Amino acid sequence: MQQTAKPDGQQTTALLIVMGLPGCGKTTLCSSLCRSPLLPAASAPDSATIRCHHVEFDSFVPDSAVQIGANYDSDEASSWKLARQALLKSLDKLLCRLVNGSKTYFSDDDDASLEPDLTGLMTEAEMKPADWGRVILLDDNFYYASMRHAVFQLARHYSCGFGTVYLKASLAQLKLVNSIRDKPVPPAVIDRMWERLEAPNPERNPLEKFVCLFGQSDLGFLDSAGHYSDSSVNGRLHSLIRDCLANPFEPPADPELAAKQAAEAREVCSMSLLHQADLRLRAIVSDWLATQSESEKAKLGKLAATNKRAVMSALTSGKLKVPAPLNSFSPDKKDALDKFLMENFSLPTAN
């Protein structure tokens, strides 16, 4: 699908994920970007700016569903998953209209009654082709790599740019900020998200090559106009956005490329599986050690750690084969993963 070309060759639209756990400052950052004029290039005329549009997931997903969703592997989480899926379908239709796409990514046969209308985020004038670029800021926790991959698939389908801003803060800081919000998230929910968060990793996942990480000390304060007082923050954000606009992802053009990208997707799933296996083994060992006597904990902990490393090494090398259903791991398969791990991992015996 062709998009309107710019004088400097940039593409029209980019999807920018703004991710991090509750209280890290995602919405503040998105609001600042929407207020700040983003110049597309040094050679651009003074009147040329890149448009930013903010999609806050929490505004479209019920509070109750958000809190249930943090316990992703529970049966109750279905309402949260359905709400997120409906939002992605609405984003799909918006992108189809913005880039004059001939076919949406998702099937049109589904019931659209639950899909929010995102066109209200833009005026009619803003819906028209953007001469210097348009960025849709997707404000959400996005703590699983699979959530971000779902957005990437949309970007690739519409030949859009794709990038990620990851806001990272300590667990204590997140809980402190969350506690003073109008609608705080239960601390237990933040704990679960913290344990399960899969940070962007460009080295392992080439789909996430455009990433900008900010720690809690990087962002500093907003000035009276609502802009970050540290100019380097704005500079890094603007540079990331320009890179995303200038380097759109294209749909697979041939079977060979499609096979390569499918292999990359499998690699992402594989790394996610290894990450989850490591987390589950840590939890299993931690829960088991809590039942042991204080005099035995140190020795048993070392033995258990040795056994855990052996299992992870076998998984990484491929010597230990996981059942086929677990190759594409998702949180609802946690029980099956636990069962498989316990069949291949032995806890030491106390004397």
Side-chain angles (χ1 to χ4, degrees), residues 81-156:
K81 295 175 186 178
L82 287 173
R84 290 181 62 87
Q85 188 71 0
L87 183 52
L88 287 177
K89 290 179 180 178
S90 183
L91 177 61
D92 179 16
K93 293 179 179 178
L94 175 63
L95 288 171
C96 190
R97 179 177 174 184
L98 290 175
V99 304
N100 298 317
S102 60
K103 184 179 180 181
T104 56
Y105 180 78
F106 293 107
S107 169
D108 289 329
D109 299 332
D110 299 322
D111 180 11
S113 61
L114 297 177
E115 296 175 19
D117 182 10
L118 296 183
T119 58
L121 297 172
M122 305 179 189
T123 65
E124 282 299 319
E126 290 172 335
M127 291 291 290
K128 296 177 181 179
D131 290 340
W132 290 90
R134 173 193 293 113
V135 179
I136 300 179
L137 306 170
L138 303 176
D139 169 359
D140 185 57
N141 301 312
F142 284 112
Y143 55 95
Y144 281 126
S146 59
M147 298 175 181
R148 304 192 295 274
H149 186 71
V151 175
F152 168 77
Q153 288 174 318
L154 286 177
R156 183 171 62 183

Side-chain angles (χ1 to χ4, degrees), residues 39-334:
L39 299 180
S43 59
D46 292 340
S47 60
T49 59
I50 297 171
R51 303 174 191 163
C52 286
H53 304 281
H54 183 195
V55 179
E56 186 179 4
F57 273 47
D58 286 355
S59 298
F60 300 98
V61 179
D63 292 340
S64 58
V66 171
Q67 295 180 18
I68 291 172
N71 194 13
Y72 196 108
D73 46 342
S74 72
D75 293 335
E76 293 177 309
S78 59
S79 62
W80 176 73
K81 295 175 186 178
L82 287 173
R84 290 181 62 87
Q85 188 71 0
L87 183 52
L88 287 177
K89 290 179 180 178
S90 183
L91 177 61
D92 179 16
K93 293 179 179 178
L94 175 63
L95 288 171
C96 190
R97 179 177 174 184
L98 290 175
V99 304
N100 298 317
S102 60
K103 184 179 180 181
T104 56
Y105 180 78
F106 293 107
S107 169
D108 289 329
D109 299 332
D110 299 322
D111 180 11
S113 61
L114 297 177
E115 296 175 19
D117 182 10
L118 296 183
T119 58
L121 297 172
M122 305 179 189
T123 65
E124 282 299 319
E126 290 172 335
M127 291 291 290
K128 296 177 181 179
D131 290 340
W132 290 90
R134 173 193 293 113
V135 179
I136 300 179
L137 306 170
L138 303 176
D139 169 359
D140 185 57
N141 301 312
F142 284 112
Y143 55 95
Y144 281 126
S146 59
M147 298 175 181
R148 304 192 295 274
H149 186 71
V151 175
F152 168 77
Q153 288 174 318
L154 286 177
R156 183 171 62 183
H157 178 78
Y158 290 108
S159 300
C160 293
F162 175 79
T164 305
V165 176
Y166 173 30
L167 304 185
K168 185 177 181 181
S170 68
L171 184 58
Q173 178 70 13
L174 291 171
K175 288 185 174 181
L176 175 62
V177 174
N178 176 68
S179 67
I180 59 176
R181 299 170 78 180
D182 292 337
K183 294 182 178 180
V185 176
V189 171
I190 297 179
D191 286 335
R192 285 196 293 270
M193 290 181 177
W194 175 269
E195 177 185 346
R196 300 175 184 187
L197 186 141
E198 297 172 351
N201 191 328
E203 293 182 0
R204 293 178 177 175
N205 182 6
L207 309 182
E208 296 187 310
K209 63 180 179 179
F210 296 116
V211 175
C212 196
L213 167 66
F214 291 105
Q216 64 190 75
S217 61
D218 294 331
L219 299 181
F221 301 97
L222 298 177
D223 61 24
S224 58
H227 305 148
Y228 286 104
S229 54
D230 186 346
S231 60
S232 66
V233 172
N234 295 317
R236 290 174 61 193
L237 289 170
H238 293 193
S239 178
L240 174 68
I241 287 174
R242 294 189 194 105
D243 285 342
C244 292
L245 287 168
N247 297 278
F249 286 87
E250 296 292 340
D254 55 65
E256 182 177 347
L257 178 58
K260 179 181 178 181
Q261 291 177 335
E264 291 175 350
R266 287 194 296 272
E267 176 68 13
V268 173
C269 290
S270 173
M271 297 313 301
S272 178
L273 173 63
L274 291 174
H275 177 64
Q276 292 298 327
D278 183 65
L279 289 178
R280 293 310 306 153
L281 286 174
R282 288 174 184 269
I284 290 169
V285 170
S286 178
D287 291 345
W288 175 74
L289 282 176
T291 67
Q292 305 302 309
S293 66
E294 291 297 326
S295 60
E296 294 284 339
K297 279 185 179 180
K299 180 179 69 175
L300 293 175
K302 290 181 180 179
L303 293 173
T306 298
N307 292 351
K308 173 183 162 299
R309 285 194 295 270
V311 173
M312 290 303 300
S313 176
L315 284 171
T316 303
S317 66
K319 292 181 180 179
L320 179 58
K321 303 292 184 182
V322 300
L326 290 177
N327 282 329
S328 55
F329 178 77
S330 59
D332 58 319
K333 298 176 182 177
K334 180 178 72 67

